[in-house]
Amino acid sequence: MPSPIIIAIDGHSACGKSTLARDLASRLGIHYLDSGALYRAVCLYCLDLGIHPEDRHAVIHNLDGLEIQISLGDYLKVMNNGQEVTERIRLPEVTRWVSEISVVPEVRRKVNEILRRIGKQQSLVMDGRDIGTVVFPDASVKFFLTADKMVRAQRRQNELQSMGREISLEKVLENLEHRDTIDSTREDSPLRCAEDAVLIDNTLLDRSEQLELAMSYIRLISS
Ligand code: DC
């Protein structure tokens, strides 16, 4: 059996990683795995237990009590200790605290084990912050996405509005900046562009232009 192909997409919060990842997975006929969902699952688990996400000791102490299961299909289904949490991991409270949870090395180790196990079994498009640098440094293709901050905030606000959530642009921008700072400055696996990643700035690209640009690169390196 040929070894699985991993396409890694890293970048800042809300810069279109999941859109590109989903589009590429569908074009290539492989699954998409959103690695952030696993950090969100850990964050939700802590919040459900009443643990403050900045209480690192309590987070680490309770980590073994969590079993995360995921299933890849038309959508990513996430279970915490047998209970489906697919929707709850998107709650604003989780979005607020997930970066604080993801700085904890023990959390990263737990999530990475799951990601690597799945990546060994099947070809995937995976998005996150450290996929091309740490989780799969040998990924077949690596993209690093970026976009203008205001454009990212506007896109995220539109996405939230389409889910019926009204939130001011200032608040969205504040959350993005907060997460960017924590994700890029943490000690363990900070967000950075891998040396062999292709940088895509999608500020002025629409969804299909972004997909075609990424596909043209994939064709180039596989020819
Ligand atoms: O992609 P997202 O916004 O759902 O990710 C949630 C958080 O998880 C994000 O703030 C940083 C963290 N994360 C990470 O540290 N490493 C990854 N590979 C994916 C996400």
Side-chain angles (χ1 to χ4, degrees):
M1 201 174 73
S3 47
I5 293 166
I6 303 291
I7 299 186
I9 305 180
D10 291 306
H12 296 101
S13 296
C15 66
K17 295 186 299 293
S18 65
T19 304
L20 177 61
R22 237 180 244 114
D23 287 349
L24 278 177
S26 138
R27 178 71 71 88
L28 299 167
I30 58 180
H31 279 124
Y32 159 50
L33 205 172
D34 158 20
S35 67
L38 280 87
Y39 290 97
R40 287 172 176 271
V42 179
C43 183
L44 178 67
Y45 167 75
C46 292
L47 293 173
D48 281 348
L49 285 181
I51 295 170
H52 194 286
E54 283 175 326
D55 183 350
R56 197 180 270 223
H57 179 75
V59 172
I60 296 168
H61 185 70
N62 285 279
L63 212 49
D64 281 347
L66 171 64
E67 193 199 347
I68 307 174
Q69 287 172 310
I70 61 170
S71 75
L72 302 171
D74 290 343
Y75 69 99
L76 177 68
K77 182 173 167 183
V78 185
M79 315 260 283
N80 272 0
N81 293 331
Q83 274 213 323
E84 179 157 8
V85 292
T86 308
E87 284 182 17
R88 292 185 65 230
I89 59 171
R90 306 289 161 193
L91 287 170
E93 189 67 357
V94 174
T95 303
R96 165 65 188 85
W97 290 110
V98 62
S99 280
E100 278 80 354
I101 287 287
S102 69
V103 303
V104 180
E106 286 79 356
V107 171
R108 305 201 69 79
R109 213 177 304 138
K110 185 180 182 91
V111 168
N112 288 348
E113 268 173 31
I114 302 172
L115 299 176
R116 291 189 182 120
R117 178 163 31 85
I118 300 170
K120 270 197 193 123
Q121 295 160 355
Q122 58 186 301
S123 294
L124 291 170
V125 181
M126 193 180 291
D127 73 352
R129 307 294 189 287
D130 61 344
I131 307 303
T133 49
V134 174
V135 187
F136 290 105
D138 298 329
S140 326
V141 184
K142 300 179 187 178
F143 293 109
F144 190 90
L145 251 56
T146 186
D148 174 81
K149 209 176 278 179
M150 282 311 288
V151 170
R152 288 161 53 205
Q154 188 68 65
R155 287 178 185 158
R156 178 50 60 92
Q157 190 193 34
N158 293 344
E159 190 182 275
L160 291 169
Q161 269 168 352
S162 70
M163 297 190 306
R165 290 201 212 129
E166 281 304 329
I167 169 162
S168 72
L169 196 60
E170 290 71 36
K171 272 263 161 252
V172 178
L173 189 61
E174 198 182 291
N175 177 260
L176 290 189
E177 286 176 336
H178 173 75
R179 291 207 286 152
D180 283 355
T181 305
I182 298 184
D183 295 345
S184 317
T185 57
R186 67 178 173 228
E187 259 176 52
D188 188 349
S189 326
L191 169 66
R192 62 178 181 81
C193 180
E195 271 176 21
D196 50 351
V198 172
L199 180 73
I200 297 182
D201 182 331
N202 65 21
T203 306
L204 299 173
L205 299 180
D206 68 20
R207 183 173 177 168
S208 70
E209 287 168 337
Q210 165 176 266
L211 172 63
E212 293 316 323
L213 185 63
M215 278 304 300
S216 59
Y217 176 70
I218 292 174
R219 279 192 290 268
L220 181 75
I221 62 157
S222 22
S223 61

